[in-house]
């Protein structure tokens, strides 16, 4: 068989089949069922939080968070442009407007530029921060590729200006601080809200799915309520609010319970494989394996290679195509959201690192099943290819 090393594929080495079969055999396949509440309890225990609501996707988790944060028509929400578009689309679902603030070298929103934007571009009346006339209600902080954003600095700015923090921890389940003010705190449990995703490419998967938590347990109850059509009275079908069909199904949750059992082992492998790549790229001339934030234990979900554009003139697309011919699947980091058609007229603020990294970063194979030999092959092939391209 021809060699093919995928970027990232799910791993079902545990109780997945057993629990999903159980859900099917008992015919509890929809949003009722024991696995749904078990998955919520297991997640809450893992994250050391009181209350978690599971839902259909990370996107719906983010949408519920924005609603619960009070984001509504005409509000401003601060975001970084270097991320997956699902982190920003829910802002538009609420008819609010994103402002794109630059990222730092972690690819996450830069707290210094965030503060500068609030100070220099907005007006603070002691209660509400306004950008032009629009209330700056919330901030979506994405922990990109499992790397923790600089939460200490971000929380400081956000609390100074009463901005609600929504952590997009969809890529960062299991990342936590090992030092500092938030020592022991997991990504997604530091701000006002935390959103998680169990899409097929995430560190654990339920096929599609998500979860949301908050520092206020009652807010989680309310988001769960909204996710089940906001049914106030199950007998008379009374609805006092507009709800959504966002609840996770028991089939998804059965998969989730099994996956969560394996999460510590998945993270152990992600860390081990990162360390292997690290050694192999250590003295590479034309690329750098990007580090994760000091003082944290990242889940190291995705590995990022920064290509030296001074030496390598071809676009990332070409590198990715050439690697594909050698059986190695890689991908480019996202295009900037601020350059996408629905967003290209929105305000951007001091974008410098985001465009820099957008044209230089590729992600390399990182599945938990990848072997040591495959890692060696990937690193050697990339080093050799970049060497050839640099000499062209
Ligand atoms: C995956 C992802 C989402 C959305 O999660 P879904 O479950 O696919 O809806 C949002 N933001 C980021 C940064 C993601 O990587």
């Amino acid at each position: 068989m021809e060699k093919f090393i995928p970027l990232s594929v799910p791993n079902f080495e545990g109780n997945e089949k057993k629990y999903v079969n159980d859900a099917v055999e008992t015919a509890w396949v929809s949003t009722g069922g024991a696995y749904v509440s078990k998955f919520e309890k297991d997640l809450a225990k893992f994250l050391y939080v009181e209350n978690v609501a599971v839902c259909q996707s990370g996107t719906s988790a983010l949408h519920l968070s924005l609603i619960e944060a009070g984001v509504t028509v005409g509000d401003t929400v601060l975001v970084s442009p270097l991320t997956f578009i699902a982190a920003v689309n829910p802002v538009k679902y609420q008819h609010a407007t994103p402002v794109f603030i630059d990222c730092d070298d972690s690819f996450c929103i830069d707290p210094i530029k965030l503060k500068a934007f609030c100070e220099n571009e907005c007006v603070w009346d002691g209660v509400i921060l306004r950008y032009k006339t629009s209330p700056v209600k919330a901030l979506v902080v994405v922990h990109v590729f499992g790397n923790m954003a600089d939460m200490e600095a971000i929380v400081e700015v956000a609390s100074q200006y009463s901005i609600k923090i929504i952590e997009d921890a969809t890529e960062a389940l299991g990342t936590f601080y090992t030092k500092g003010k938030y020592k022991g705190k997991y990504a997604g449990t530091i701000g006002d809200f935390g959103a998680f995703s169990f899409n097929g490419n995430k560190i654990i998967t339920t096929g599609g799915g998500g979860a949301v938590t908050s520092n206020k347990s009652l807010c989680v109850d309310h988001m769960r309520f909204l996710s089940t059509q906001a049914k106030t009275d199950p007998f008379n079908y009374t609805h006092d609010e507009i709800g959504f069909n966002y609840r996770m199904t028991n089939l998804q949750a059965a998969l989730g319970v099994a996956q969560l059992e394996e999460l510590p082992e998945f993270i152990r492998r992600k860390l081990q494989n990162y360390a292997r790549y690290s050694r192999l790229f250590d003295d590479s001339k034309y690329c750098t394996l990007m580090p994760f934030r000091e003082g944290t234990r990242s889940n190291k979900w995705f590995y990022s290679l920064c290509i030296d554009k001074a030496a390598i003139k071809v676009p990332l697309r070409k590198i990715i195509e050439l690697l594909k011919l050698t059986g190695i699947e890689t991908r480019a980091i996202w295009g900037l959201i601020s350059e996408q058609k629905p967003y290209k007229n929105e305000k951007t603020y001091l974008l410098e690192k985001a465009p820099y990294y957008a044209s230089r970063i590729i992600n390399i194979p990182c599945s938990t099943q990848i072997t040591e030999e495959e890692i060696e092959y990937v690193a050697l092939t990339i080093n050799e290819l970049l060497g050839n391209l640099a000499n062209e």
Side-chain angles (χ1 to χ4, degrees):
M1 211 171 79
E2 237 178 280
K3 193 188 275 294
F4 177 67
I5 305 173
L7 176 71
S8 173
V9 288
N11 184 334
F12 300 131
E13 291 173 4
N15 287 317
E16 288 82 4
K17 282 181 192 157
K18 187 173 158 207
Y19 298 165
V20 172
N21 269 337
D22 180 48
V24 172
E25 270 162 23
T26 56
W28 284 98
V29 294
S30 196
T31 55
Y35 285 108
V36 178
S37 41
K38 174 153 173 57
F39 191 33
E40 288 184 334
K41 288 205 180 75
D42 290 354
L43 280 167
K45 192 167 166 220
F46 178 84
L47 293 168
Y48 298 101
V49 295
E50 231 177 280
N51 201 348
V52 171
V54 290
C55 53
Q56 275 300 324
S57 63
T59 311
S60 58
L62 288 161
H63 189 197
L64 291 167
S65 302
L66 286 165
I67 295 169
E68 200 64 25
V71 172
T72 181
V73 186
D75 288 343
T76 290
V77 177
L78 309 178
V79 297
S80 155
L82 187 61
T83 184
F84 184 47
I85 200 154
V88 182
N89 282 340
V91 173
K92 288 279 189 178
Y93 302 166
Q94 286 306 99
H95 303 280
T97 307
V99 167
F100 295 99
I101 315 269
D102 202 19
C103 63
D104 61 20
D105 292 308
S106 69
F107 311 146
C108 308
I109 199 163
D110 180 344
I112 296 166
K113 288 178 178 168
L114 174 69
K115 189 177 163 88
F117 178 79
C118 296
E119 260 171 23
N120 305 327
E121 304 283 321
C122 302
V123 176
W124 169 244
D125 65 9
V127 183
I128 295 176
L129 185 73
R130 285 177 202 276
Y131 172 60
K132 297 182 178 160
T133 56
S134 164
V136 182
K137 285 268 183 73
L139 160 66
V140 178
V141 179
V142 184
H143 302 293
V144 176
F145 301 146
N147 202 5
M148 185 83 84
D150 185 354
M151 290 307 288
E152 279 195 31
I154 290 167
V155 170
E156 216 174 284
V157 180
S159 43
Q160 186 180 346
Y161 294 110
S162 286
I163 303 170
K164 290 266 194 295
I165 298 177
I166 293 156
E167 291 183 74
D168 178 335
T170 51
E171 305 183 350
L173 179 65
T175 293
F176 64 89
Y177 270 106
T178 54
K179 285 196 184 113
K181 186 176 173 189
Y182 296 120
K183 184 176 173 182
K185 282 282 222 179
Y186 279 88
T189 72
I190 298 167
D192 297 275
F193 299 93
F196 299 88
S197 166
F198 312 114
N199 195 17
N201 62 350
K202 301 301 200 278
I203 195 158
I204 64 168
T205 184
T206 59
V212 63
T213 188
S214 167
N215 51 12
K216 294 196 183 70
S217 184
L218 282 175
C219 287
V220 179
D221 287 338
H222 188 242
M223 289 188 280
R224 190 182 293 108
F225 168 75
L226 290 178
S227 79
T228 49
Q229 308 283 23
K231 201 185 292 171
T232 317
D233 180 318
F235 296 100
N236 295 318
Y237 284 91
T238 313
H239 306 266
D240 297 335
E241 282 182 80
I242 308 277
F244 300 86
N245 182 9
Y246 276 175
R247 187 76 168 148
M248 180 178 273
T249 67
N250 203 46
L251 275 181
Q252 292 167 313
L255 207 49
V257 169
Q259 287 271 283
L260 191 57
E261 290 172 352
E262 293 171 274
L263 180 58
E265 169 61 14
F266 290 169
I267 294 175
R268 192 192 65 76
R269 293 188 199 178
K270 292 272 186 191
L271 266 52
Q272 180 181 61
N273 293 335
Y274 178 84
R276 285 173 175 158
Y277 272 127
S278 224
R279 284 192 290 277
L280 294 161
F281 284 117
D282 197 30
D283 48 26
S284 296
K285 255 169 104 175
Y286 305 111
C287 64
T288 311
L289 185 65
M290 295 296 288
F292 290 84
R293 187 176 299 284
E294 291 273 323
T296 68
R297 201 301 309 273
S298 169
N299 69 0
K300 297 195 171 152
W301 172 61
F302 258 37
Y303 312 140
S304 307
L305 213 53
C306 190
I307 308 293
D308 176 2
K309 291 271 275 197
I312 313 279
K313 304 293 184 198
V314 301
L316 293 184
R317 185 187 298 265
K318 184 76 190 165
I319 298 172
I320 290 163
E321 275 167 14
L322 290 169
L323 285 172
K324 198 168 175 200
L325 297 176
T326 69
I328 298 170
E329 186 182 30
T330 56
R331 55 148 240 175
I333 198 170
W334 312 276
L336 298 186
I337 299 177
S338 47
E339 289 172 5
Q340 310 295 323
K341 201 171 165 195
Y343 294 103
K344 63 176 191 275
N345 296 323
E346 309 296 4
K347 165 81 176 166
T348 60
Y349 190 65
L350 304 180
L351 300 194
E352 180 201 331
K353 301 257 168 157
Y356 177 90
Y357 286 119
S359 63
R360 283 169 177 77
I361 297 292
I362 63 168
N363 298 118
I364 57 176
C366 63
S367 304
T368 49
Q369 304 92 326
I370 194 170
T371 64
E372 194 168 357
E373 292 69 41
E374 286 173 327
I375 287 172
E376 274 166 21
Y377 172 77
V378 170
L380 291 178
T381 308
I382 291 176
N383 280 332
E384 193 180 302
L385 174 70
L386 296 182
N388 293 339
L389 290 172
N391 294 325
E392 260 177 19

